[in-house]
Amino acid sequence: MSRIGKAPIVVPKGVTVELKGNEVSIKGPKGQLNRSIRPEMLIEQKDGTIVVSRQNDDRMSRNLHGLSRTLIANMVKGVTDGFEVNLEVIGVGYRAQMDGKKLVMQLGYSHPVEIEPPAGTEITVGKGNAIAVKGFDKQAVGDLAAFIRGKRPPEVYKGKGVKYANEVIRRKVGKAASKKK
């Protein structure tokens, strides 16, 4: 049995869960999320918790058990606390600033890079070119952060570009340093 899949999901106060077959709808203070779970999974609500179990023990059901439980747990966490991904812009002349709700970045191109956040997500720029992507849908927040990073991924010689705050860039030695033997 999946250790992750068999753990019950505690539903905090202020969060309503609606189950219609394998359609899960969770509403909380930050917003509402809907997801369709595969029919191999059984979803039940008991005593303020959600329990995900599988109908049979075949390979596909075992694979989906922990995933389905984690997706629902992320929905509950998202509508109560939300998610945040932090990015950093590093490089001489590289800047990030907000223009209304739109993120405008100078990344060494001949034009500014403008990014409009989708509904349900929010972008803020802090001190020192720190970008924070916030929202209640974990997938949307991660996709937006990856999209922003993809506009100028960090390069390996000087580390210039947009990187995740906790990302470690493995640096390469330059041409001049490698010739000294």
Side-chain angles (χ1 to χ4, degrees):
M1 184 105 189
S2 169
R3 284 180 288 198
I4 294 172
K6 69 182 177 183
I9 303 163
V10 177
V11 179
K13 288 188 177 8
V15 175
T16 58
V17 178
E18 194 175 309
L19 302 173
K20 288 184 182 172
N22 280 16
E23 295 289 325
V24 179
S25 178
I26 299 178
K27 188 174 186 178
K30 298 241 182 214
Q32 179 173 354
L33 291 171
N34 302 313
R35 182 173 290 274
S36 178
I37 304 296
R38 292 285 300 260
E40 291 91 347
M41 298 295 111
L42 297 171
I43 304 157
E44 301 171 288
Q45 188 173 5
K46 303 177 191 172
D47 305 327
T49 62
I50 302 171
V51 179
V52 179
S53 58
R54 54 185 184 235
Q55 290 181 358
N56 53 32
D57 225 19
D58 66 343
R59 185 182 185 108
M60 184 62 126
S61 295
R62 289 194 318 262
N63 289 341
L64 293 171
H65 191 194
L67 171 72
S68 300
R69 187 253 177 220
T70 303
L71 290 173
I72 296 171
N74 284 340
M75 290 169 64
V76 171
K77 183 177 185 243
V79 297
T80 54
D81 302 330
F83 293 99
E84 180 176 355
V85 175
N86 295 310
L87 301 160
E88 296 172 354
V89 179
I90 298 172
V92 176
Y94 288 17
R95 291 191 319 264
Q97 60 192 27
M98 294 302 295
D99 182 20
K101 287 191 170 195
K102 194 180 340 179
L103 174 67
V104 180
M105 296 185 293
Q106 298 290 333
L107 297 175
Y109 298 121
S110 62
H111 59 281
V113 177
E114 298 180 351
I115 298 173
E116 185 78 38
T121 58
E122 173 189 345
I123 301 173
T124 57
V125 177
K127 194 171 185 179
N129 287 334
I131 301 170
V133 180
K134 299 175 186 173
F136 58 86
D137 186 0
K138 187 173 187 175
Q139 183 174 349
V141 170
D143 287 347
L144 181 58
F147 181 73
I148 293 170
R149 182 185 180 274
K151 293 300 178 183
R152 178 69 84 172
E155 54 99 10
V156 294
Y157 294 104
K158 293 184 180 178
K160 297 183 345 181
V162 181
K163 72 177 196 80
Y164 295 112
N166 59 356
E167 183 179 10
V168 177
I169 307 297
R170 290 186 54 194
R171 305 285 285 275
K172 286 175 132 181
V173 292
K175 212 176 355 174
S178 63
K179 283 189 177 182
K180 294 177 184 177
K181 286 190 177 181

